[in-house]
């Protein structure tokens, strides 16, 4: 599987209340729009902006962009906020695709675990694949146990 498929397998879908979902959408709105700004306006490849502060998402997009992408200072606040308005429907499409992707992540994780278990079994191991603890503690709860059989 590709690097992106392996990354996706490490993600988890958790139920969110409406307030948390709205906050998460705002974060993704700004982050995705900033990425599009980097690529579309400045021809940059993706640059990680690292961790952000919760307060940053109370700012308008222009202030957020200038804080996390210094090249954005080449554009006025009006230009940046106009860009955000222009790409907002694209950003929402990306979010919707992400929702579909997040629902597939558990399936990909199980597929990878089963593939590893089958490989070990073919190599002469006794294999057990099990859920190791409550998924509420951590959704990444698949345990692969393998014991070499004496042959």
């Amino acid at each position: 599987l590709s690097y992106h498929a392996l990354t996706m397998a490490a993600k988890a879908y958790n139920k969110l209340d409406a307030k948390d979902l709205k906050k998460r959408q705002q974060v993704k709105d700004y982050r995705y729009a900033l990425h599009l700004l980097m690529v579309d306006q400045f021809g940059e490849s993706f640059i990680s902006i690292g961790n952000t502060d919760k307060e940053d998402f109370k700012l308008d997009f222009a202030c957020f962009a200038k804080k996390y992408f210094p090249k954005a200072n080449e554009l006025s606040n009006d230009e940046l906020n106009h860009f955000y308005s222009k790409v907002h429907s694209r950003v929402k499409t990306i979010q919707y695709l992400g929702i579909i992707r997040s629902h597939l992540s558990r399936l990909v994780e199980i597929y990878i675990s089963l593939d590893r278990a089958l490989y070990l079994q073919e190599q002469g191991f006794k294999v057990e694949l099990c859920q190791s603890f409550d998924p509420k503690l951590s959704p990444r709860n698949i345990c692969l146990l393998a014991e070499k059989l004496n042959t």
Side-chain angles (χ1 to χ4, degrees), residues 4-23:
H4 296 292
L6 295 173
T7 299
M8 183 175 83
K11 304 236 182 253
Y13 173 75
N14 295 318
K15 291 182 182 179
L16 300 171
D17 63 25
K19 185 179 174 184
D20 289 336
L21 180 60
K22 187 173 179 162
K23 284 180 190 175

Side-chain angles (χ1 to χ4, degrees), residues 103-120:
H103 281 79
L104 295 173
S105 62
R106 180 67 171 181
L107 178 64
V108 173
E109 182 178 20
I110 291 170
Y111 172 82
I112 291 168
S113 298
L114 287 171
D115 183 59
R116 289 176 179 165
L118 288 172
Y119 173 79
L120 289 168

Side-chain angles (χ1 to χ4, degrees), residues 4 9-10 24 34 37 53 55-56 62 64 68 74 77 86 90 104 113-114 117 120 127 130 139 142-143 146 148-149:
H4 296 292
R24 184 173 285 187
L34 184 60
L37 178 74
D53 297 321
E55 298 299 312
D56 295 336
F64 177 84
Y68 290 101
E74 296 175 16
N77 285 7
K86 190 173 77 173
R90 249 172 94 192
L104 295 173
S113 298
L114 287 171
L120 289 168
V127 179
C130 59
I142 297 174
C143 181
K148 183 74 170 166
L149 297 175

Side-chain angles (χ1 to χ4, degrees), residues 59-128:
L59 305 171
D60 66 357
F61 177 72
C63 293
F64 177 84
K66 288 180 176 185
K67 180 174 180 179
Y68 290 101
F69 183 56
K71 281 190 177 181
N73 285 296
E74 296 175 16
L75 301 175
S76 71
N77 285 7
D78 286 343
E79 289 172 314
L80 288 166
N81 288 324
H82 177 72
F83 176 85
Y84 179 73
S85 296
K86 190 173 77 173
V87 299
H88 197 257
S89 65
R90 249 172 94 192
V91 166
K92 287 300 180 192
T93 299
I94 294 167
Q95 281 192 42
Y96 298 146
L97 292 171
I99 290 169
I100 294 168
R101 185 181 96 161
S102 70
H103 281 79
L104 295 173
S105 62
R106 180 67 171 181
L107 178 64
V108 173
E109 182 178 20
I110 291 170
Y111 172 82
I112 291 168
S113 298
L114 287 171
D115 183 59
R116 289 176 179 165
L118 288 172
Y119 173 79
L120 289 168
Q121 193 172 39
E122 290 167 356
Q123 302 305 309
F125 287 80
K126 177 185 172 193
V127 179
E128 184 180 348

